[in-house]
Amino acid sequence: MSTQTVLPIDILIKKRDGLELSSAEIQQFVRAVVLNGEAKLGTAPQEIAAAEKITDAQIAAFLMAAFERGFTREELAHLTNAMRYSGETFHAAPLKSFTVDKHSTGGVGDKSSLLIAPTLAAAGLQGTPSISVPMISGRSLGHTGGTLDKLETIPGFDTQLSLARMTEVLLECHAAMVGQTPRLVPADRILYAMRDHTGTVESPYLITASIMSKKLAEDLNALVLDVKVGSGAFMPSYEQSKFLAELMVSTGELAGARTVAVLTTMDEPLGRFSGNWVEVWECVEILKGKRHALSADLIELSNVLSGWMLYLAGKAATPEAGALLADELMTSGAAYEAWLKLVAAHGGDVTVFAEPASFHKPKATRVLRAEQRGYLAGMDCKEVGWAVQRLGAGRAKPGDPVSAHAGIESHAKLGTFLEEGDPIFTLFAEEEALLEAPFAMLKATVTLSNEAPTVQPLIREIVRQ
Amino acid sequence: MSTQTVLPIDILIKKRDGLELSSAEIQQFVRAVVLNGEAKLGTAPQEIAAAEKITDAQIAAFLMAAFERGFTREELAHLTNAMRYSGETFHAAPLKSFTVDKHSTGGVGDKSSLLIAPTLAAAGLQGTPSISVPMISGRSLGHTGGTLDKLETIPGFDTQLSLARMTEVLLECHAAMVGQTPRLVPADRILYAMRDHTGTVESPYLITASIMSKKLAEDLNALVLDVKVGSGAFMPSYEQSKFLAELMVSTGELAGARTVAVLTTMDEPLGRFSGNWVEVWECVEILKGKRHALSADLIELSNVLSGWMLYLAGKAATPEAGALLADELMTSGAAYEAWLKLVAAHGGDVTVFAEPASFHKPKATRVLRAEQRGYLAGMDCKEVGWAVQRLGAGRAKPGDPVSAHAGIESHAKLGTFLEEGDPIFTLFAEEEALLEAPFAMLKATVTLSNEAPTVQPLIREIVRQ
């Protein structure tokens, strides 16, 4: 018999029936998705072969079948790799360096990238074995903040570098902090928009492929994942966060990158500030050696993640030794030096770091205070994140501007005993009216208690192969 | 809190998660589907409310979620009813009659509708309790034949009646045999095209909603379903056919129509001929009282189905008594009288029935003969159906013309002992070249054996509530 052409519909029917797809089938599907996207932009070839012709409806049907059926670990690695190579990728070879990055599933006040990138860069600048951090980050999404939005509050800081310029910055600074270029992992952009539209966002498999395809497009030797658990995490339960961590670790390892996931608690905002400039401010103070008591959890998290990165890169004998080295690089000022170099290479004005507090210019502030004595017992951290975004730090839809100065300051951590009238949060916004709803949200979500609450440790579990 | 508008995406997410949808949610989804279809044709209102705005991708995602998750019996009845009322429907009130119809899931050589409609019409013409058969049929699909294609081989026979004209024909003849009007059950047309395109055809739930929405749009008091099992059936296993039968019976009963399903064997073509005119010819001979030995299974099937219809309509005390009555109506000539009246009412030329054999004008014929002695032991009846369609009786794609005279004659039933050279099938086509592939297909699929095969009985099981 003649050989039958496998069509995209055959591939989606196979997934519908829970059969395992081959690497070739998954690659064919992803090529078809990208060609469909290019056809809409008018940039596709005139003639698309039947094997690579797909419609939005077929993509949606595939995504729903994938949502319901999941993937084997091998299929997931194939999907991730097909997406990773769907457009241009970063090429690390010119760096002659061990490439390592971190990724967080998203939190509130989680600015650890701003500490980890300069810390690792400082280690990289100190010579063999060479380390580089080709960090491609995202923007504020949902209730979580975005590294790019924070960096862009530094006057002149350009996150939209070409891959060629990114290479130059990495050769000079051993770290670069950029946004996704338009041609990087186009399959993810298309599939994410489709998932958002068809109720297929919350699949751990599709989340893994989305995250890992973008991270692996950085041409990494190693990747450390910060997978959040708790009320501020995207995943609703510890088990689901752990399952996501396992999928990401398996996918990274199958794609040839050493991958470790750290499950960390996100039950309250991390560190002292949540927002955009206020988070840069907090990090600059730490890098200058001024450690505020409320930044302790942030510093611990950064050191643990940096420690794993330094260990995987061969700079430390153990992750614990790596964490100590990371702390040393911060206290010695080496990380701050690397930070200044990095910001300057991105075109950023480092003079604002001289007095970061004075650069903070919210036009309206309000303080939420304890209405009675008691322990700060709990909050829905996701709700706190939404309050921060609604203050102006995040966006209602992609492309909206964000406020540099909106955000909150945390005055107490969970488990702290408060007297009546003690401040809990200070809110910052561009105008008085913007304070109303977030203030009410924060007031409603914070609970005080006569009994000391059980507070989860920050570092919960390590997932690795 | 303010009430949240339920959007189509919320409904599809509910189905994705296996939650039960309410009648209101299902109606909202179906309305959105129809509005989406009208928007493409430019016939939708200018402003569609957000609650009824849906995209092809969202419809596809819903269908895949429905494929994977299924429906409860109640949800399925809600979906079927929402589709049934998505456009115009037939109104039986003016008939002052018990409306009853039959539907087959599709077979090869299954022309029982051409016997059952006049038989029931004959019973209806004989007075109280009055019966009418508002039969809305389909065309050849896949490997199966279509009643409309068969009827249209009668010169002048018009199957495309308006519902008003259909009512007139029913008042006069107590049966009408028509095609779906463009405005009848538009939701099914849209959803079927989408299912065909997104790999979601083979869901027993979606098949049930598709079949039953169209049948119930006939405003039926009762419905008898012929659900095929065996190698020529759409469903691959007995269990799946039975499950489909159960879903259809439950849906019909919940929608207020007495519904019975008969599981019948489809392991070989039914009766003597398979095609278009040749099937009309076979029925005309039977209605005239000339019963060919090879039509015995067809007559048995028609009598059983008619028997159930007469029983449900109150014309017979038992289904068995109904089958005897049906046989009498055929042997007495009453059914033939009703047939002539029915055909004439549809504009058909009844003079061709005088010598139906002489109206058969295939330009090319070929006989497949037994190459050795042995029992006719088996065939893939689906493959036989495809051979019939490829001879010209069916279409490669919707809208293609079909040949009136293409088809096959069966010379022996399964279990018959054949001598070397005995004919098995005669093939008919419009030209010699069209015989080649179907001849090879039939030759390859027929098996002869030294041992008598086990032949399944025609009537397998009754499914009712």
Side-chain angles (χ1 to χ4, degrees):
Chain A
M1 303 298 284
S2 65
T3 44
Q4 199 78 31
T5 308
V6 176
L7 298 176
I9 194 169
D10 303 319
I11 295 170
L12 84 87
I13 286 174
K14 240 178 125 172
K15 179 44 63 193
R16 175 197 84 184
D17 293 339
L19 303 174
E20 185 166 15
L21 297 174
S22 69
S23 174
E25 288 167 333
I26 290 173
Q27 285 179 45
Q28 182 184 335
F29 171 77
V30 172
R31 271 199 311 274
V33 166
V34 173
L35 282 170
N36 176 262
E38 289 177 356
K40 284 185 201 165
L41 299 172
T43 57
Q46 289 248 308
E47 276 298 320
I48 300 177
E52 293 179 351
K53 206 172 252 175
I54 200 165
T55 65
D56 282 2
Q58 290 173 327
I59 298 170
F62 178 90
L63 290 171
M64 185 56 80
F67 190 101
E68 299 284 8
R69 295 290 192 162
F71 292 103
T72 65
R73 303 296 162 109
E74 287 70 27
E75 279 180 304
L76 189 51
H78 295 320
L79 175 62
T80 303
N81 265 329
M83 289 167 65
R84 166 188 185 177
Y85 293 117
S86 63
E88 68 180 7
T89 57
F90 179 71
H91 294 287
L95 304 182
K96 297 183 175 56
S97 191
F98 188 95
T99 51
V100 58
D101 194 11
K102 57 87 60 170
H103 177 81
S104 156
T105 59
V108 180
D110 183 1
K111 52 202 87 73
S112 61
S113 290
L114 306 190
L115 296 177
I116 293 170
T119 301
L120 270 286
L125 287 163
Q126 287 177 355
T128 54
S130 172
I131 309 179
S132 296
V133 184
M135 190 179 279
I136 300 177
S137 302
R139 297 195 177 275
S140 162
L141 177 70
H143 70 284
T144 68
T147 298
L148 299 183
D149 293 324
K150 298 169 194 173
L151 289 171
E152 288 175 357
T153 62
I154 302 167
F157 197 108
D158 184 3
T159 60
Q160 303 305 302
L161 305 189
S162 67
L163 293 183
R165 176 65 193 142
M166 183 180 172
T167 305
E168 289 172 6
V169 172
L170 280 159
L171 284 168
E172 182 193 345
C173 305
H174 289 255
M177 303 181 83
V178 304
Q180 207 179 329
T181 70
R183 295 196 52 247
L184 198 98
V185 198
D188 177 62
R189 212 183 325 266
I190 297 167
L191 290 175
Y192 190 84
M194 184 61 87
R195 284 166 58 205
D196 194 38
H197 177 73
T198 57
T200 49
V201 168
E202 304 89 345
S203 157
Y205 302 95
L206 297 174
I207 291 170
T208 294
S210 175
I211 291 176
M212 295 300 288
S213 63
K214 285 179 288 191
K215 282 287 131 181
L216 293 168
E218 296 173 359
D219 203 358
L220 296 179
N221 297 116
L223 174 63
V224 176
L225 297 157
D226 177 8
V227 179
K228 304 295 189 189
V229 296
S231 67
F234 268 109
M235 288 285 165
S237 73
Y238 191 93
E239 289 62 37
Q240 284 167 285
S241 287
K242 184 167 178 186
F243 182 63
L244 175 64
E246 287 166 351
L247 288 180
M248 292 199 291
V249 167
S250 142
T251 300
E253 294 282 343
L254 283 170
R258 291 300 315 279
T259 309
V260 173
V262 185
L263 295 181
T264 71
T265 298
M266 179 47 63
D267 281 337
E268 63 186 323
L270 198 66
R272 183 179 168 203
F273 289 116
S274 304
N276 292 312
W277 169 255
V278 284
E279 297 198 21
V280 175
W281 167 15
E282 181 174 0
C283 290
V284 166
E285 298 286 17
I286 294 166
L287 291 168
K288 284 175 162 180
K290 291 189 238 165
R291 297 186 169 196
H292 193 283
L294 284 158
S295 296
D297 54 355
L298 168 66
I299 294 167
E300 180 189 354
L301 179 71
S302 300
N303 284 342
V304 168
L305 297 174
S306 293
W308 273 100
M309 293 165 78
L310 291 166
Y311 162 69
L312 293 173
K315 282 277 189 183
T318 63
E320 294 73 24
L324 287 174
L325 172 57
D327 201 62
E328 270 171 42
L329 288 163
M330 286 210 283
T331 50
S332 71
Y336 188 53
E337 285 301 312
W339 167 253
L340 294 175
K341 196 175 170 99
L342 172 66
V343 171
H346 278 274
D349 176 5
V350 298
T351 63
V352 291
F353 302 142
E355 290 283 349
S358 70
F359 188 63
H360 180 45
K361 299 180 181 76
K363 296 203 183 71
T365 65
R366 191 175 300 180
V367 181
L368 176 70
R369 296 180 184 279
E371 293 187 331
Q372 65 201 65
R373 310 180 73 212
Y375 291 96
L376 183 58
M379 63 188 77
D380 177 351
C381 182
K382 199 173 266 177
E383 188 73 0
V384 175
W386 282 115
V388 172
Q389 303 310 308
R390 285 194 61 177
L391 280 164
R395 15 178 101 68
K397 59 176 197 296
D400 282 354
V402 296
S403 160
H405 303 292
I408 58 172
E409 178 174 1
S410 301
H411 296 287
K413 293 281 164 183
L414 290 176
T416 306
F417 190 85
L418 301 173
E419 296 295 336
E420 189 185 328
D422 276 356
I424 303 173
F425 291 123
T426 300
L427 292 74
F428 314 119
E430 299 276 4
E431 52 182 302
E432 197 68 25
L434 291 172
L435 295 171
E436 289 300 335
F439 185 85
M441 290 163 75
L442 291 173
K443 186 172 170 182
T445 195
V446 165
T447 55
L448 296 175
S449 164
N450 288 329
E451 284 168 47
T454 307
V455 179
Q456 294 294 340
L458 182 62
I459 308 298
R460 302 292 290 275
E461 192 173 348
I462 306 295
V463 175
R464 57 194 295 212
Q465 284 189 342
Chain B
M1 303 296 283
S2 64
T3 45
Q4 199 78 30
T5 308
V6 176
L7 298 176
I9 194 169
D10 302 319
I11 296 171
L12 84 86
I13 286 174
K14 239 178 125 173
K15 179 45 60 194
R16 175 197 83 183
D17 293 341
L19 302 174
E20 186 166 13
L21 297 174
S22 70
S23 174
E25 287 167 333
I26 290 173
Q27 284 179 46
Q28 182 183 336
F29 171 77
V30 171
R31 271 200 311 274
V33 166
V34 173
L35 283 171
N36 176 262
E38 289 176 356
K40 285 185 201 165
L41 298 171
T43 58
Q46 290 246 309
E47 276 298 321
I48 300 177
E52 293 179 352
K53 207 173 249 175
I54 199 167
T55 64
D56 282 2
Q58 289 174 327
I59 298 170
F62 178 90
L63 290 171
M64 184 57 81
F67 190 102
E68 300 284 9
R69 294 290 191 161
F71 292 104
T72 65
R73 303 296 162 108
E74 287 70 26
E75 280 180 303
L76 189 50
H78 295 322
L79 176 62
T80 303
N81 264 329
M83 289 168 64
R84 167 188 184 177
Y85 293 116
S86 63
E88 68 180 8
T89 58
F90 178 70
H91 293 287
L95 304 182
K96 298 183 174 55
S97 191
F98 188 95
T99 49
V100 58
D101 194 11
K102 54 89 59 170
H103 177 82
S104 155
T105 58
V108 181
D110 183 0
K111 53 201 84 77
S112 60
S113 290
L114 307 190
L115 297 177
I116 293 168
T119 300
L120 270 285
L125 287 163
Q126 288 177 355
T128 54
S130 173
I131 308 178
S132 295
V133 184
M135 189 180 278
I136 300 177
S137 303
R139 300 194 175 275
S140 162
L141 178 70
H143 71 284
T144 69
T147 298
L148 297 183
D149 293 325
K150 297 169 196 175
L151 289 171
E152 288 175 357
T153 64
I154 302 167
F157 197 109
D158 185 4
T159 59
Q160 302 305 303
L161 306 188
S162 66
L163 294 183
R165 176 64 194 142
M166 183 179 173
T167 305
E168 290 172 4
V169 172
L170 279 159
L171 285 168
E172 182 192 346
C173 305
H174 289 255
M177 303 181 83
V178 305
Q180 205 180 331
T181 70
R183 297 197 49 245
L184 198 98
V185 199
D188 177 63
R189 213 186 323 269
I190 298 167
L191 290 175
Y192 190 85
M194 185 60 89
R195 284 165 59 205
D196 193 40
H197 177 74
T198 55
T200 49
V201 169
E202 303 90 344
S203 158
Y205 302 95
L206 297 174
I207 291 170
T208 293
S210 175
I211 290 176
M212 296 300 289
S213 63
K214 284 179 291 190
K215 283 287 131 181
L216 293 168
E218 296 174 0
D219 203 358
L220 296 179
N221 297 117
L223 174 63
V224 175
L225 297 157
D226 177 9
V227 179
K228 305 295 190 188
V229 296
S231 67
F234 268 110
M235 287 286 163
S237 73
Y238 191 93
E239 288 64 36
Q240 283 166 285
S241 287
K242 184 166 179 187
F243 182 63
L244 175 63
E246 288 167 350
L247 289 181
M248 291 199 293
V249 167
S250 140
T251 300
E253 294 282 343
L254 282 169
R258 292 299 317 276
T259 310
V260 173
V262 185
L263 295 181
T264 72
T265 298
M266 181 46 65
D267 280 337
E268 62 186 323
L270 198 65
R272 185 180 168 200
F273 290 115
S274 304
N276 291 313
W277 170 255
V278 287
E279 297 198 20
V280 175
W281 167 14
E282 181 174 1
C283 290
V284 166
E285 297 286 17
I286 294 165
L287 291 168
K288 283 175 162 181
K290 289 188 241 169
R291 298 186 168 196
H292 193 285
L294 285 158
S295 296
D297 53 355
L298 167 66
I299 294 167
E300 180 188 355
L301 178 71
S302 299
N303 284 341
V304 168
L305 297 174
S306 293
W308 273 101
M309 293 164 79
L310 291 165
Y311 163 69
L312 292 174
K315 282 276 189 183
T318 63
E320 295 71 24
L324 287 174
L325 173 56
D327 201 61
E328 271 169 41
L329 288 164
M330 286 211 282
T331 51
S332 71
Y336 188 52
E337 285 302 309
W339 167 253
L340 293 175
K341 197 175 168 100
L342 172 67
V343 172
H346 277 273
D349 177 4
V350 298
T351 65
V352 292
F353 302 143
E355 290 283 350
S358 70
F359 188 64
H360 181 46
K361 298 177 181 77
K363 297 202 181 69
T365 66
R366 191 176 299 181
V367 181
L368 177 68
R369 294 178 185 280
E371 293 187 330
Q372 67 202 60
R373 311 177 73 211
Y375 292 96
L376 183 58
M379 64 187 75
D380 176 352
C381 183
K382 199 172 266 176
E383 187 74 358
V384 175
W386 282 115
V388 172
Q389 303 311 309
R390 285 195 60 177
L391 281 164
R395 14 178 101 69
K397 60 177 194 299
D400 283 354
V402 297
S403 162
H405 302 293
I408 59 170
E409 178 175 1
S410 300
H411 297 287
K413 293 281 162 181
L414 290 176
T416 306
F417 190 84
L418 300 173
E419 296 295 336
E420 187 185 327
D422 276 355
I424 302 172
F425 290 123
T426 299
L427 293 74
F428 313 120
E430 300 277 3
E431 52 180 300
E432 198 66 27
L434 292 172
L435 296 170
E436 290 300 334
F439 185 86
M441 289 162 76
L442 291 172
K443 187 172 169 180
T445 195
V446 164
T447 54
L448 297 174
S449 162
N450 288 328
E451 285 168 45
T454 306
V455 179
Q456 295 294 339
L458 182 62
I459 309 298
R460 302 291 291 276
E461 192 172 349
I462 307 294
V463 175
R464 56 192 298 209
Q465 284 189 343

